[in-house]
Amino acid sequence: MQRNAKECLSTERVVSDPGVSATEGRVAWAPERSLWIGGMTLAALTLGPVFVTPGAVILFLVTSAVTLCLGHSVGLHRLLIHRSFEAPLWLERVMVWLGTLVGMAGPLGMVRLHDMRDWAQRQAACHDLHAHRARLLKDAWWQMHCRLDLAHPPRFVPEARLRDDAFLRGLEATWMLQQVPLGLVFFLLGGMPWLVWGIAVRVAVSVTGHWAVGHLTHRRGPQGWAVDGVAVQGYDLPRVALITFGEAWHGNHHAWPGSARLGIEPGQADPGWWVLLALRRLGLVWGLREPADLLPRAGLRRLGAVAAVGQGGDCEASVGGPLRPSFRSGSPCAASATLPTPGRAG
């Protein structure tokens, strides 16, 4: 896929008008965002050790798992942003609310942050902030305490389903305040230990962990797929697949962004996908999309050993030609494709 580095592509919600640039811009401090996560982190570091109890730690673990898995990974990322499955409106709203409780941003803000980064990474070149190229501490400061003001930004154009939803707009306007009623309940039930560990420690660990996974999965690691002609590749982080609820399979996600299943290779743990399968058995979700249901994105190329491909009856591999994924959950292969000639767009 060849194109001039100065020409920017448009994506589903981000429109590149003439003159748009993904590289020119300045990083500026974002006071509201910085004070929010800075305050939560300070409270976690100073009050967490003082008010630690077994019950508070259990509360932290349970609420983190529910908000990160069912809320952030399943509700916000796989459903609201990518529409990789369908759910009744009441369940979608519950999951989006849980995702908002993670404490990163409101639902519309999360869509915008995700889509602007995705738009930038799909270009031939992009700013260091969107690529996570800065060193560890600098990138942490940029991602959690700053914003990128592009000199010639694209237009973010969300669809009416997002833009006109009164529930989403209400959550967006009050996303920080959503912690208040939850904090009151925790305080009444468990005092300061539950308040500190159920709110401050949970938010600080969740937001910092989200940044850390994003930093590492855009720099290096195992990679089963590559996308030619883009500024940033995605990599996998297998050791934290379970505690990230499948989000650590970021190389797979770059390859198949519309897939509800992130752990698409044999043996790749994906708790978010397991939750979706359980919900499907209950009749609460449907239309779960996997790579077999999707068209390969432009430039997609299979990497690494493909010994498993071709050994499972319905799996084939050959060199040359477009990718043809035929794998689904339960098939002998979790990824089968005809392999393109290196450098050729899929």
Side-chain angles (χ1 to χ4, degrees):
M1 181 170 58
Q2 301 293 326
R3 66 176 182 270
N4 190 311
K6 293 184 179 180
E7 297 176 356
C8 289
L9 301 176
S10 294
T11 58
E12 183 181 2
R13 300 186 186 101
V14 183
V15 179
S16 297
D17 296 315
V20 163
S21 171
T23 59
E24 301 173 30
R26 60 183 291 269
V27 178
W29 182 50
E32 182 178 351
R33 183 180 182 187
S34 180
L35 293 173
W36 167 257
I37 187 57
M40 288 291 181
T41 303
L42 181 63
L45 292 174
T46 57
L47 300 179
V50 176
F51 292 103
V52 62
T53 66
V57 174
I58 292 172
L59 177 71
F60 159 74
L61 293 173
V62 171
T63 54
S64 294
V66 172
T67 56
L68 285 170
C69 183
L70 192 58
H72 177 79
S73 181
V74 174
L76 284 177
H77 192 199
R78 307 188 204 203
L79 180 55
L80 192 69
I81 293 172
H82 288 292
R83 302 309 295 185
S84 62
F85 67 95
E86 302 297 329
L89 184 59
W90 69 265
L91 180 58
E92 176 176 345
R93 288 180 169 175
V94 168
M95 292 191 294
V96 167
W97 176 70
L98 288 172
T100 301
L101 288 178
V102 171
M104 279 187 272
L108 300 178
M110 286 300 300
V111 175
R112 189 180 191 281
L113 284 170
H114 175 281
D115 283 16
M116 288 295 290
R117 177 175 281 105
D118 176 70
W119 167 84
Q121 292 178 352
R122 286 172 180 257
Q123 309 307 322
C126 72
H127 193 279
D128 286 351
L129 182 144
H130 282 146
H132 291 272
R133 291 193 193 100
R135 292 187 178 183
L136 190 74
L137 293 181
K138 184 177 182 180
D139 191 55
W141 172 254
W142 275 7
Q143 303 295 338
M144 292 189 286
H145 297 269
C146 299
R147 67 176 185 274
L148 174 60
D149 294 329
L150 289 172
H152 308 286
R155 289 183 291 120
F156 175 62
V157 186
E159 61 270 35
R161 175 182 59 83
L162 297 178
R163 184 186 64 244
D164 299 335
D165 190 302
F167 176 78
L168 295 179
R169 293 201 308 269
L171 271 186
E172 186 66 27
T174 62
W175 68 271
M176 292 183 186
L177 295 176
Q178 295 301 315
Q179 307 292 339
V180 173
L182 193 64
L184 289 174
V185 171
F186 289 165
F187 182 75
L188 291 174
L189 293 177
M192 283 297 292
W194 279 35
L195 176 63
V196 171
W197 281 81
I199 301 296
V201 177
R202 174 181 56 80
V203 170
V205 171
S206 297
V207 176
T208 304
H210 180 270
W211 157 75
V213 171
H215 178 82
L216 295 172
T217 57
H218 288 105
R219 293 174 67 88
R220 63 183 66 87
Q223 187 182 21
W225 308 85
V227 183
D228 292 332
V230 299
V232 181
Q233 299 291 332
Y235 302 91
D236 297 327
L237 203 59
R239 292 182 179 180
V240 296
L242 284 173
I243 64 172
T244 61
F245 307 100
E247 295 290 331
W249 304 116
H250 205 63
N252 294 343
H253 181 58
H254 271 233
W256 306 100
S259 174
R261 185 182 181 189
L262 303 183
I264 62 176
E265 308 281 5
Q268 291 184 341
D270 184 357
W273 175 250
W274 303 339
V275 168
L276 284 172
L277 292 180
L279 291 174
R280 184 170 66 179
R281 292 190 188 99
L282 295 173
L284 293 175
V285 301
W286 60 91
L288 276 63
R289 284 180 277 281
E290 299 183 56
D293 305 309
L294 306 170
L295 291 174
R297 58 179 291 184
L300 183 61
R301 179 163 50 88
R302 193 73 163 95
L303 296 178
V306 291
V309 180
Q311 296 177 0
D314 64 346
C315 305
E316 299 179 355
S318 63
V319 176
L323 288 164
R324 297 179 59 81
S326 61
F327 56 95
R328 293 182 182 274
S329 54
S331 70
C333 293
S336 69
T338 56
L339 305 183
T341 303
R344 178 178 175 181

